[in-house]
Amino acid sequence: MKTSRSEELFARAQTRIPGGVNSPVRAFRGVGGAPRFIARGEGSRIFDVDGNSYIDYVGSWGPLLLGHRPQPVIDALREALESGTSFGAPTEREVELAELISRVVPSMEMVRLVNSGTEATMSALRLARGFTGRDLTVKFEGCYHGHVDSLLVKAGSGMATLGIAATAGVPKAFAETTIALPFNSIAAVEKTFAERGDQIAAVIVEPVVGNMGCVPPAPGFLEALRELTTRYGTLLILDEVMTGFRVALGGAQQRFGIKPDLTTLGKIMGGGLPIAAYGGRHDIMRKVAPLGPVYQAGTLSGNPLSVAAGLAMLRYLMAHPELYEQLEQRAAQLTAWVPPGVTINRVGAMFTYFFSPEPVTDWESAKKCDTARFGRFFHFMLERGIYLAPSQFEAAFLSTAHSEEDIRYTAAAAREFFAA
Ligand code: HOZ
């Protein structure tokens, strides 16, 4: 496979961009080698600058539930572009998008649009502190909620990939407002609440973790979080940036029947454009400026292009509920065969091949994976035109554009690797 143009670009990029990339995991440090520079995408495939084509299981890290360049999103963007790119003033479509989100995710009684998942979690957390008058947050080891200062404690995703336990640049006082507990441990949460429950503003959790690889909640875990937070007057924030509109139309909260106080959304809700949202109970959201004292703002918030793409995406998903069954079946087909020495976790159309024979239920078990072998698997698949996330600690994402043939080809390549 010829990769010289990607290599050239990577060398050039590294002189002007830290690590040659604009988000760390893309640098391939978790698997070695030079990243492929992508020229375009279509359906289930991406094409690099050397002309190689890959079946794409990254899907822009989750947003592309309909694959690359889905017609409804492209049409909506073309139309929106005719009217302007940014106004910094309210538009009709923002109202429509907020209404639609509330309809699909009923716990989001009011919604504020922002530009990225990081902004959504940062704002939700500030709101939780402003609403409760408390400072502490409980998060879970291996969960990643964007690069919010106080949440970069034992975080997953790039921090896990690069082995950074606590990032430089976060004041100690900020980090000390966060209590990181093992995911899926009800006992740890109960103990923490018994000791400091009256100081905890929020519990924030990825209801299905995507950022240490895919790790589902143990039966009863989310329910216990709901019960404990209610008992102590703490807000429960479900970070559905990855799971929203993916594990079910109404996200993980629909799939697992949990009603959070606040929700954060991103990725799919923008149809591949930068947009995110936070929202929840009326009484909490009414604390957000200009109604209340919790300040949050943004010039590009509710950007007309992102809103148009998001509306087109969500309308399509609402009109085609059957696609979730198709995604479920295809993902089940792809992950049906469990290779020796591997654990596969899957929830709907997100999954991870963990290179560990043990169940992976939290960060302690995830970090036991054989990352060097994962790296060899990654490159074996890449050479065969299959593009997986370049880290053991990220999830793979399936789209409706992945055909049965894509799935068969991918499964056959995986069997070939494990047979060798
Ligand atoms: N950290 C995000 C995935 N969990 C985004 C990675 C990227 O866009 O490079």
Side-chain angles (χ1 to χ4, degrees):
M1 186 178 269
K2 179 176 164 278
T3 57
S4 54
R5 179 92 183 105
S6 275
E7 281 158 34
E8 249 171 58
L9 283 171
F10 191 43
R12 226 175 100 197
Q14 286 176 83
T15 67
R16 294 290 174 203
I17 304 173
V21 289
N22 286 309
S23 192
V25 186
R26 301 177 196 177
F28 273 31
R29 297 224 168 169
V31 291
R36 304 295 153 89
F37 278 63
I38 305 306
R40 65 184 182 91
E42 192 68 52
S44 65
R45 291 188 173 262
I46 48 175
F47 301 82
D48 71 17
V49 289
D50 287 287
N52 304 304
S53 123
Y54 308 88
I55 304 171
D56 179 18
Y57 290 100
V58 176
S60 184
W61 305 90
L64 304 182
L65 190 69
L66 305 179
H68 292 269
R69 302 186 75 249
Q71 206 56 53
V73 174
I74 298 299
D75 290 346
L77 278 171
R78 282 211 174 99
E79 196 204 313
L81 202 50
E82 293 300 314
S83 309
T85 55
S86 184
F87 307 118
T91 60
E92 185 172 350
R93 286 199 179 115
E94 287 166 77
V95 189
E96 288 171 2
L97 185 57
E99 286 170 350
L100 211 145
I101 289 171
S102 293
R103 187 151 7 120
V104 176
V105 188
S107 73
M108 296 178 80
E109 294 167 358
M110 287 184 103
V111 179
R112 174 55 72 79
L113 300 181
V114 291
N115 296 294
S116 71
T118 294
E119 259 191 75
T121 54
M122 177 182 75
S123 309
L125 214 58
R126 182 182 303 137
L127 175 57
R129 291 193 295 257
F131 180 80
T132 59
R134 303 171 180 179
D135 284 346
L136 297 183
T137 304
V138 167
K139 78 172 283 280
F140 296 94
E141 294 164 5
C143 285
Y144 176 74
H145 304 286
H147 57 95
V148 179
D149 276 338
S150 65
L151 292 176
L152 287 175
V153 176
K154 297 195 175 164
S157 189
M159 299 257 303
T161 304
L162 299 171
I164 301 172
T167 175
V170 173
K172 197 162 161 269
F174 288 17
E176 282 171 358
T177 62
T178 304
I179 303 168
L181 301 176
F183 186 70
N184 274 332
S185 172
I186 298 173
V189 185
E190 275 172 347
K191 183 166 178 292
T192 301
F193 268 93
E195 288 165 3
R196 311 173 78 176
D198 60 348
Q199 300 164 48
I200 301 171
V203 170
I204 186 166
V205 64
E206 293 183 78
V208 175
V209 189
N211 284 295
M212 54 176 143
C214 176
V215 179
F221 179 63
L222 296 176
E223 290 79 356
L225 295 185
R226 180 63 286 182
E227 195 278 313
L228 276 164
T229 47
T230 304
R231 195 183 332 149
Y232 283 88
T234 297
L235 301 189
L236 177 63
I237 306 173
L238 290 191
D239 179 351
E240 297 235 41
V241 167
M242 272 196 192
T243 52
F245 311 105
R246 175 165 289 278
V247 299
L249 179 61
Q253 53 196 275
Q254 178 189 323
R255 190 166 176 128
F256 296 102
I258 300 292
K259 189 174 178 200
D261 301 300
L262 292 173
T263 298
T264 56
L265 295 172
K267 299 201 190 263
I268 289 173
M269 73 159 275
L273 269 84
I275 191 170
Y278 67 99
R281 276 170 33 197
H282 266 119
D283 59 328
I284 304 171
M285 291 301 289
R286 292 183 71 82
K287 298 284 181 209
V288 177
L291 286 184
V294 178
Y295 198 73
Q296 177 271 313
T299 298
L300 290 169
S301 294
N303 174 265
L305 295 180
S306 300
V307 169
L311 265 179
M313 182 76 168
L314 299 196
R315 283 185 179 136
Y316 186 89
L317 298 181
M318 287 175 82
H320 297 85
E322 73 286 354
L323 64 81
Y324 287 93
E325 190 45 45
Q326 179 202 317
L327 283 165
E328 190 83 41
Q329 278 173 14
R330 295 248 159 100
Q333 200 182 331
L334 182 57
T335 53
W337 177 66
V338 183
V342 165
T343 296
I344 301 180
N345 284 352
R346 178 182 73 81
V347 178
M350 59 191 278
F351 59 91
T352 298
Y353 280 60
F354 285 105
F355 280 68
S356 165
E358 312 285 331
V360 178
T361 57
D362 56 12
W363 175 238
E364 273 309 302
S365 44
K367 75 180 182 197
K368 286 186 189 145
C369 286
D370 183 344
T371 51
R373 190 157 184 243
F374 171 82
R376 291 194 292 279
F377 175 66
F378 170 85
H379 281 290
F380 182 93
M381 300 296 269
L382 193 67
E383 282 296 310
R384 281 152 189 79
I386 297 159
Y387 190 83
L388 301 170
S391 166
Q392 173 68 97
F393 306 119
E394 296 283 357
F397 299 104
L398 209 67
S399 78
T400 55
H402 286 88
S403 65
E404 296 230 2
E405 182 46 34
D406 288 335
I407 303 295
R408 266 197 300 275
Y409 178 81
T410 307
R415 278 183 187 270
E416 198 189 326
F417 175 83
F418 287 99

